[in-house]
Amino acid sequence: MADLVADLIPVALPQNPYEIAIAAGLLDDLGPQLRDRAGLKNRRLLVVSNPLIFKHYGDRAIASLTAAGYDVARCILPAGERYKTPRSIQKIHDAALDHRLERGSAIVAIGGGVIGDMAGFAAATWLRGIGVVQVPTSLLAMVDAAIGGKTGVNHPRGKNLIGAFHQPKRVLIDPTVLKTLPVRELRAGMAEVIKYGVIWDAALFEQLEAAPRLDRYGDIAPLLQDILRCSCQAKAEVVAQDEKEAGLRAILNYGHTIAHAVESLTGYRSVNHGEAVAIGMVAAGAIATALNLWEPSCEARQRALIEKTALPVALPPGLAIADILDSLQLDKKVKDGQVQFILPTAIGQVEIRDRVPTDVLRQILTAMQP
Ligand code: GLY
């Protein structure tokens, strides 16, 4: 595809640098991208996807890979966060063995965050680490999960507790695939986009504020290339400065501390990840305002943006505050028994705090009950 012009965003890691390419039509250019841009010379590839995504895009992806000379097998896993388990990793490894993947072979993840995280973890652990190429098909995966090398599966008592850092060889984003994304998932991805506006990129935040509506594909589509470029750029800059989350990278967890508790307590079913992040950002914004770190007007602007995207601003029904507080202790970001919160101090700026008084937390969560 000679005339394909992509936005290229470097993830400038010292050991494993790679690029994120964003362009309409990239799905039909997968083969040349892997062969000529990601340098994958070994012929054997394993495509990991879920049934719905594979039905929409599998044939096109495999046609492009095969035309570029690859010998492609597939492993199709059931869709959904509840299948993000060690058992699914076993299935990918079974397929890797059947297809005789070698050290130089790669896994190609075509799907949302669940598929990307599992395919990445299977690649990290097969033969002590083979390549993975991320082809995200949800907005959430495009702007977050596919970038930065966090891979893994859930433990029954906590999200993403089993995992590894394993950077992809390349991230290939074709925004046109979002046309088939259910609107609820599109909005979920917008939660992470809003997150980048709050933590890193005030101009992105203002661009989102200027949009009349953000709750439907038709209204988001004209902004998509910009939204994707700014969000991926923000993530790439943060990851390049702190690959293994020794410090700065923790800011990407803005809204995620309470989000993970909400997801875990609702069994990863009734509330999706982006909705939980929206709830978590509302809580974090209220905490920051209560601690005099953030202007109430900024908190109101964030809330307005979340509401414009038709994302939730209240806790789901039936959650006990005591259970949320308990669940926070299981978060990966707990340090010496102190729960870490990422709290905004301006639009485009946050800081990490680990001493949020429990009574402030309890008060804010109580006010967020439906
Ligand atoms: N999703 C948060 C991170 O990649 O660090």
Side-chain angles (χ1 to χ4, degrees):
M1 196 173 276
D3 55 353
L4 193 92
V5 181
D7 274 318
L8 293 177
I9 295 162
V11 184
L13 291 162
Q15 304 289 332
N16 306 297
Y18 57 96
E19 274 181 339
I20 306 163
I22 309 169
L26 213 45
L27 194 73
D28 299 304
D29 196 45
L30 284 193
Q33 289 283 331
L34 265 63
R35 190 189 55 205
D36 308 333
R37 308 285 178 150
L40 288 167
K41 304 290 174 229
N42 187 290
R43 287 183 64 240
R44 289 179 196 275
L45 293 178
L46 177 65
V47 166
V48 176
S49 193
N50 74 39
L52 193 61
I53 294 296
F54 197 79
K55 185 171 141 246
H56 282 306
Y57 304 113
D59 288 348
R60 279 168 62 193
I62 288 189
S64 174
L65 293 168
T66 308
Y70 290 109
D71 174 6
V72 189
R74 67 188 75 167
C75 174
I76 309 300
L77 297 167
E81 186 78 35
R82 68 183 178 282
Y83 295 103
K84 196 171 148 182
T85 60
R87 193 170 138 65
S88 295
I89 299 301
Q90 171 84 53
K91 288 187 185 173
I92 303 174
H93 285 161
D94 289 347
L97 188 63
D98 290 344
H99 195 49
R100 302 281 185 268
L101 291 194
E102 300 163 358
R103 275 264 164 79
S105 308
I107 293 180
V108 182
I110 306 179
V114 171
I115 286 294
D117 282 9
M118 293 196 298
F121 187 54
T125 44
W126 189 246
L127 304 181
R128 298 201 176 88
I130 64 170
V132 63
V133 174
Q134 295 285 353
V135 186
T137 58
S138 70
L139 180 58
L140 198 134
M142 290 175 182
V143 297
D144 184 25
I147 307 162
K150 281 191 180 175
T151 72
V153 291
N154 298 329
H155 184 278
R157 283 162 59 200
K159 196 174 151 74
N160 294 336
L161 290 180
I162 306 160
F165 283 100
H166 189 58
Q167 297 296 339
K169 297 279 181 206
R170 197 165 178 82
V171 180
L172 298 166
I173 298 178
D174 183 340
T176 62
V177 305
L178 295 178
K179 273 184 209 154
T180 57
L181 190 71
V183 72
R184 190 172 167 196
E185 282 188 50
L186 188 71
R187 293 170 184 164
M190 286 303 295
E192 298 283 358
V193 173
I194 294 170
K195 176 190 84 176
Y196 292 118
V198 177
I199 68 167
W200 198 257
D201 187 342
L204 171 64
F205 190 95
E206 282 159 19
Q207 189 180 11
L208 298 174
E209 277 184 315
R213 286 186 70 162
L214 284 174
D215 58 336
R216 304 179 301 195
Y217 177 77
D219 295 282
I220 296 170
L223 307 175
L224 256 181
Q225 192 75 17
D226 275 0
I227 283 177
L228 289 167
R229 193 184 54 254
C230 294
S231 302
C232 293
Q233 182 77 44
K235 175 116 192 204
E237 284 173 13
V238 171
V239 167
Q241 288 179 52
D242 177 22
E243 180 181 5
K244 299 277 170 71
E245 203 168 309
L248 178 73
R249 185 166 177 165
I251 70 169
L252 298 174
N253 296 320
Y254 176 55
H256 286 58
T257 309
I258 284 169
H260 286 169
V262 168
E263 285 181 279
S264 167
L265 291 170
T266 52
Y268 305 106
R269 281 169 205 262
S270 57
V271 181
N272 69 31
H273 180 62
E275 290 163 350
V277 169
I279 294 165
M281 290 194 294
V282 171
I287 296 168
T289 306
L291 299 181
N292 289 321
L293 296 171
W294 215 23
E295 294 287 334
S297 62
C298 291
E299 188 195 347
R301 285 169 68 191
Q302 173 187 258
R303 191 186 177 93
L305 210 43
I306 292 171
E307 283 175 334
K308 187 162 76 171
T309 313
L311 285 161
V313 291
L315 288 166
L319 287 196
I321 304 299
D323 289 343
I324 300 178
L325 294 174
D326 276 355
S327 178
L328 292 178
Q329 294 298 326
L330 279 178
D331 198 271
K332 287 191 295 308
K333 296 170 286 297
V334 169
K335 262 198 196 148
D336 303 327
Q338 294 283 334
V339 183
Q340 263 194 359
F341 281 92
I342 316 304
L343 299 178
T345 52
I347 299 289
Q349 207 172 302
V350 280
E351 64 177 49
I352 304 172
R353 283 274 174 126
D354 60 5
R355 282 179 212 287
V356 174
T358 308
D359 55 339
V360 170
L361 210 49
R362 191 177 289 113
Q363 212 177 345
I364 282 163
L365 291 171
T366 305
M368 287 180 66
Q369 281 183 314

